[in-house]
Each structure stands twice: as C-alpha cells, then as structure tokens.
Amino acid sequence: MIRFELGFGLFVMAMWVFCLVDVISSEEGEIRNLPKVPWLLIVLFFPLAGSVAWLVAGRPQGAPGRSPYERQVP
C-alpha cells in the first residue's frame, strides 16, 4: 500500500511540475478558456485537479507536436 501511495505521489508531482512549466512556457494567445495567470494559480494551488484541468481545458490545441527548440520558418 505504501508503494502505491508513493508512486501516486510521485506521479502527481511529476504531472504538476510538467503542467507548471507548460503553463509558464505557453503563449498567452494560445491558451484556452482562461488567461495565463488564472491557469498558473489554479495549477499552483490545486496540484492534481489543476493539472488535470489544464491538460483537458487549458492547454493549447497544437501543444503535443510543438518543441521550444524548433525553428519557425516564415
């Protein structure tokens, strides 16, 4: 039982850190449903629920395929 709780805690923490970084690095105009600062506060203060909400309702539509290191060619 302790292994499950530890694993679940590590999973939630990893998802929380990922979502925090994702909110911070997302462009303001691409974020859905709320501005950037409220999303940041929701993810920051409600780690599990805020992270799930960000992934479902706030993350930009084209997020899975983007990379911060890709060069944009006009």
Side-chain angles (χ1 to χ4, degrees):
M1 189 65 172
I2 292 176
R3 288 183 187 167
F4 172 75
E5 292 171 357
L6 181 64
F8 183 71
L10 289 174
F11 171 75
V12 170
M13 186 173 137
M15 186 169 65
W16 182 61
V17 169
F18 170 79
C19 289
L20 278 176
V21 170
D22 199 31
V23 170
I24 292 168
S25 65
S26 294
E27 295 290 329
E28 179 76 34
E30 296 177 354
I31 297 174
R32 299 181 291 149
N33 298 323
L34 288 174
K36 189 175 195 173
V37 173
W39 273 120
L40 184 62
L41 294 174
I42 289 170
V43 172
L44 188 64
F45 291 123
F46 305 103
L48 181 59
S51 296
V52 170
W54 167 253
L55 293 173
V56 171
R59 195 162 192 229
Q61 290 289 346
R66 71 181 178 145
S67 170
Y69 302 107
E70 288 181 9
R71 231 175 95 191
Q72 294 183 1
V73 179

